[in-house]
Amino acid sequence: MMRIFVVGATGRVASELVKDLVAKGHQVTAVARHPENVSLKDSPQVTAVKLDLHASKEELVELIGQQDAIYFTAGSRGKDLLQTDAFGAVKTMQVAELNGIKRYIMLSSLHALEPEFWHENGLAQIMDYNIAKFFADHYLVHNTDLDYTILQPTALTEEPGTGKITVGATKVSKNPIPDVALTLAEILEHDNTRKKVIMMSSGDTPIAQALANV
């Protein structure tokens, strides 16, 4: 059992992630602006907490406390890219280091670290989001000593999960949301994913096997 801190826990992916982490036996602190909407908030394994990423770093130090891992899954859907998607993420990384938390898992976007791809069809429409994720991902890789994993899925869909993915995806395709969530949850069980950026799409390889081969 691990103590897991999920930032942005009411999002589409994070709602499924919380369920997957609970199913794996973890204790989850699920934080969001509207904690009343957290999945499984009445479970003894889930603590729902209000979080505003506009808060100061000092406030976040106390709120995050001692954890075994942090997931950053928050997204403003274009409404607050600088303070939520970019600097909100950076503050949680800084707090992780201040609080001695080494494991940090970031939900990002396909090619977020590669601006040369942003004009392609399927990515041009989310240019501003990818710019925000670029700065957050870049800070995580180059300005922290965290044991990070950055998961970069392609377009999210509401389809049922298949339990199978492809890693190393380079083209815009699709990812059922349940598969992205389960991949995030499984990353914790694969130490070989530390210090890695993983691009993913739907595929034919079971998630655990795909991650074992990263």
Side-chain angles (χ1 to χ4, degrees):
M1 186 272 287
M2 298 178 70
R3 298 166 298 173
I4 312 297
F5 193 88
V6 178
V7 182
T10 56
R12 293 184 299 165
V13 174
S15 293
E16 296 297 320
L17 171 62
V18 169
K19 296 174 187 176
D20 291 333
L21 292 172
V22 167
K24 290 178 177 295
H26 299 304
Q27 196 71 36
V28 179
T29 301
V31 300
R33 285 187 177 181
H34 298 284
E36 66 275 10
N37 296 328
V38 164
S39 299
L40 304 181
K41 65 180 182 297
D42 296 324
S43 166
Q45 290 173 242
V46 177
T47 302
V49 177
K50 183 175 178 61
L51 169 69
D52 186 342
L53 284 169
H54 292 198
S56 69
K57 187 168 61 176
E58 291 71 25
E59 291 174 278
L60 293 176
V61 164
E62 183 174 351
L63 180 65
I64 292 174
Q66 296 303 306
Q67 307 287 338
D68 295 307
I70 294 176
Y71 281 89
F72 190 90
T73 64
S76 67
R77 298 203 178 189
K79 298 177 181 178
D80 190 35
L81 289 169
L82 291 178
Q83 290 207 58
T84 294
D85 303 66
F87 192 53
V90 168
K91 283 189 289 188
T92 64
M93 298 169 205
Q94 294 172 337
V95 171
E97 293 198 301
L98 288 170
N99 288 15
I101 304 164
K102 290 293 290 182
R103 198 69 172 100
Y104 190 102
I105 300 172
M106 168 74 83
L107 176 61
S108 187
S109 175
L110 189 72
H111 292 307
L113 283 167
E114 300 165 296
E116 61 269 25
F117 290 96
W118 293 351
H119 291 284
E120 291 187 1
N121 187 39
L123 294 179
Q125 297 90 329
I126 57 169
M127 177 77 73
D128 288 348
Y129 175 69
N130 270 331
I131 291 171
K133 296 308 290 187
F134 172 86
F135 286 105
D137 290 6
H138 192 274
Y139 188 94
L140 180 56
V141 172
H142 297 288
N143 296 91
T144 78
D145 193 35
L146 296 170
D147 286 335
Y148 65 83
T149 304
I150 299 173
L151 185 66
Q152 296 184 341
T154 182
L156 303 179
T157 72
E158 303 283 349
E159 298 170 319
T162 67
K164 297 180 179 181
I165 62 172
T166 293
V167 298
T170 58
K171 297 295 184 182
V172 174
S173 178
K174 64 180 182 178
N175 282 124
I177 287 169
D179 288 341
V180 177
L182 186 55
T183 301
L184 286 168
E186 286 280 346
I187 281 171
L188 269 185
E189 302 178 17
H190 294 270
D191 285 344
N192 62 303
T193 63
R194 294 170 187 255
K195 305 286 188 180
K196 298 282 180 67
V197 178
I198 301 172
M199 293 188 285
M200 68 172 285
S201 66
S202 293
D204 299 317
T205 306
I207 290 170
Q209 181 182 337
L211 291 175
N213 294 331
V214 165

